[in-house]
Amino acid sequence: MTTAAEGIGRVPRWWALPSCVLAVVAVGWEVQQDQPLRWAMTGGLALLIIGLAATAGGYGLKIGRLELDRLLLWVLLGMFLAGQVVFGRAFAQDGNAMFLTGVLALLVGIELTRGLRTRLDEALQRLLDRRVVELPTGRRARFETELDHQTRKWSRLGSIAIAAILLIAWIVVLLGPSGSRYSLWVVLFEVIGGWVAGDRIGRMVAYGSFWSTLTREGRAVVRVMPGHADGAGGLKPVGDFFLYQSLSASVPALYLAAWWWFIPVAGLDEWRSTYVGLLVVAIVVEVLAFLLPMRSIHATMRAQKRQFTAQADRLSSDIAELRARLRETKVPADRQSLKDEISDLSEDYQLILHSPTWPVDPSIRRRFGVSNLILMLPLVGEAIGGTFWQELADALSKVA
């Protein structure tokens, strides 16, 4: 079994240079600002740990069966909670609750996304078992190789994009009247945390494109099944996967939406407009994580429904002929036989006519709609303003 020292030793050495430089700069800045040395050293150590975790996660390093980045990130949260006790009021001021819950949201989001590839493989296997998808062994190997390549590419792009967005948000706050109250290491830590989160978001983008990769150049044969018991033509496992991925991507939006309500209580009003902007970005990402991946599946299902429609037209003609025969038939047994045949063909006709064109059933649509309605409440509140929202914030302040 791999030990902690061996696991850390396998991390590429290049991670140390930027992490050490940022840690030294942050510690020097905090000391120059007359902050306690213990506080400055805590920040420097946090930057080193999250830098190591970011690199270990990118390379998939483990200690035995435990992912090295998972161990480091939860140790980091424990260190911050311990610091709450050690530093007392000094650690509790200036948005500490916002920072700690942000770290917790990051860890929860990462935990939810760790099993995404396994869930995707299971969804694909269920489609194969149902014979909705046929994929020869050799073609599956090429599909998985290309998906791995897409995952690496999008994880890097996602890291850069999310880190840049958080850096811009911090610049907006730091240039404001209350910018001097925040520690440099906190800023750098959250930007690196954005890099870690962006890696996961990039993976979601890659997994979201798996259908296009799967069906490209005729690798897979897809057969939608009208009337399938799952209510989605046999493709509901894919819809379930994308719903789970969307819910995983909603963790940042949940965090931002919750803090939109509690910012007045914490006395951090300079963050409210910034959080509204970030919330818009987070909701867009969460919605796209659900809808965009299904566009290619929708195109496949819609093309097959057009073929089914032609089949339904032929059935309608057969049904009309049988009904004409029924009117002319007098023998009771023959009439009953014709009625049964008409009933069977009419049932087939209705199944084909109502063949789904999205890999979701009503329960998935309902859960997705309700969750996003809740996330959008802060945006509605920001748009309409009024006294109600202010009175609610004042009431929360009094309770706190």
Side-chain angles (χ1 to χ4, degrees):
M1 181 178 291
T2 307
T3 65
E6 290 172 339
I8 295 175
R10 291 158 71 181
V11 177
R13 297 291 186 270
W14 62 262
W15 78 271
L17 179 59
S19 298
C20 288
V21 169
L22 291 177
V24 170
V25 170
V27 170
W29 177 267
E30 298 301 326
V31 171
Q32 186 180 13
Q33 298 298 313
D34 295 326
Q35 295 292 335
L37 182 60
R38 287 185 303 171
W39 169 259
M41 294 301 294
T42 297
L45 181 59
L47 292 175
L48 289 174
I49 292 176
I50 196 170
L52 176 58
T55 309
Y59 284 86
L61 300 180
K62 294 184 178 182
I63 299 175
R65 295 183 178 180
L66 178 64
E67 294 89 344
L68 179 57
D69 64 313
R70 170 183 280 179
L71 173 64
L72 292 170
L73 290 172
W74 284 103
V75 165
L76 194 57
L77 179 62
M79 184 183 79
F80 287 142
L81 293 175
Q84 176 75 21
V85 177
V86 172
F87 294 105
R89 290 179 59 85
F91 194 83
Q93 66 187 9
D94 295 337
N96 174 62
M98 181 184 287
F99 176 75
L100 282 178
T101 53
V103 175
L104 180 60
L106 172 65
L107 267 61
V108 170
I110 290 175
E111 290 299 320
L112 289 174
T113 59
R114 286 190 187 279
L116 278 178
R117 181 58 187 267
T118 300
R119 284 176 175 267
L120 177 58
D121 291 339
E122 290 174 352
L124 177 58
Q125 187 58 50
R126 290 183 66 189
L127 297 183
L128 294 170
D129 293 340
R130 296 179 178 199
R131 298 184 180 179
V132 177
V133 172
E134 292 184 5
L135 185 65
T137 303
R139 293 180 181 179
R140 183 167 185 174
R142 290 198 298 274
F143 158 72
E144 292 180 348
T145 299
E146 186 170 344
L147 183 60
D148 289 339
H149 171 73
Q150 293 291 329
T151 301
R152 288 190 295 271
K153 180 183 75 173
W154 281 106
S155 65
R156 290 191 178 92
L157 291 174
S159 294
I160 295 171
I162 301 302
I165 290 172
L166 284 178
L167 179 60
I168 292 171
W170 265 111
I171 290 173
V172 171
V173 172
L174 293 175
L175 293 178
S178 303
S180 59
R181 66 192 288 190
Y182 296 103
S183 297
L184 178 62
W185 75 261
V186 173
V187 177
L188 296 175
F189 179 88
E190 292 198 4
V191 171
I192 299 175
W195 181 280
V196 176
D199 172 82
R200 298 292 167 169
I201 293 173
R203 291 169 189 261
M204 291 188 206
V205 173
Y207 299 153
S209 65
F210 95 94
W211 190 263
S212 298
T213 305
L214 181 68
T215 56
R216 188 177 299 138
E217 298 174 359
R219 283 197 184 101
V221 177
V222 182
R223 295 187 180 91
V224 180
M225 297 181 177
H228 193 281
D230 69 3
L235 289 165
K236 187 172 179 288
V238 180
D240 288 335
F241 169 76
F242 287 130
L243 177 64
Y244 180 84
Q245 179 165 273
S246 174
L247 293 176
S248 301
S250 71
V251 172
L254 286 171
Y255 166 79
L256 293 165
W259 269 104
W260 184 89
W261 294 98
F262 289 105
I263 276 174
V265 180
L268 299 168
D269 293 332
E270 68 272 13
W271 275 102
R272 207 168 201 207
S273 59
T274 301
Y275 265 38
V276 167
L278 291 175
L279 178 59
V280 171
V281 174
I283 291 177
V284 169
V285 169
E286 181 260 338
V287 170
L288 293 181
F290 182 69
L291 294 180
L292 280 185
M294 292 195 293
R295 290 183 60 191
S296 56
I297 305 175
H298 171 62
T300 300
M301 297 179 74
R302 189 172 56 183
Q304 293 205 10
K305 185 169 184 177
R306 284 195 291 268
Q307 298 175 6
F308 296 149
T309 301
Q311 182 182 349
D313 291 339
R314 290 191 293 271
L315 284 176
S316 66
S317 178
D318 294 341
I319 292 170
E321 291 178 5
L322 290 171
R323 284 177 175 167
R325 289 172 54 189
L326 179 63
R327 287 191 294 269
E328 298 173 356
T329 301
K330 305 301 181 181
V331 179
D334 292 342
R335 286 180 61 83
Q336 186 59 47
S337 176
L338 287 171
K339 286 180 180 180
D340 291 342
E341 190 173 356
I342 290 172
S343 176
D344 291 341
L345 292 180
S346 297
E347 183 178 350
D348 291 342
Y349 176 82
Q350 291 298 325
L351 289 176
I352 292 173
L353 199 64
H354 295 93
S355 176
T357 57
W358 292 93
V360 294
D361 66 355
S363 67
I364 293 178
R365 290 193 290 267
R366 183 169 55 252
R367 282 181 285 170
F368 179 72
V370 170
S371 63
N372 280 283
L373 179 62
I374 294 172
L375 291 176
M376 290 181 182
L377 285 177
L379 302 182
V380 175
E382 189 74 12
I384 68 177
T387 59
F388 171 76
W389 308 102
Q390 188 60 46
E391 289 173 358
L392 181 59
D394 293 341
L396 290 173
S397 298
K398 292 176 181 178
V399 171

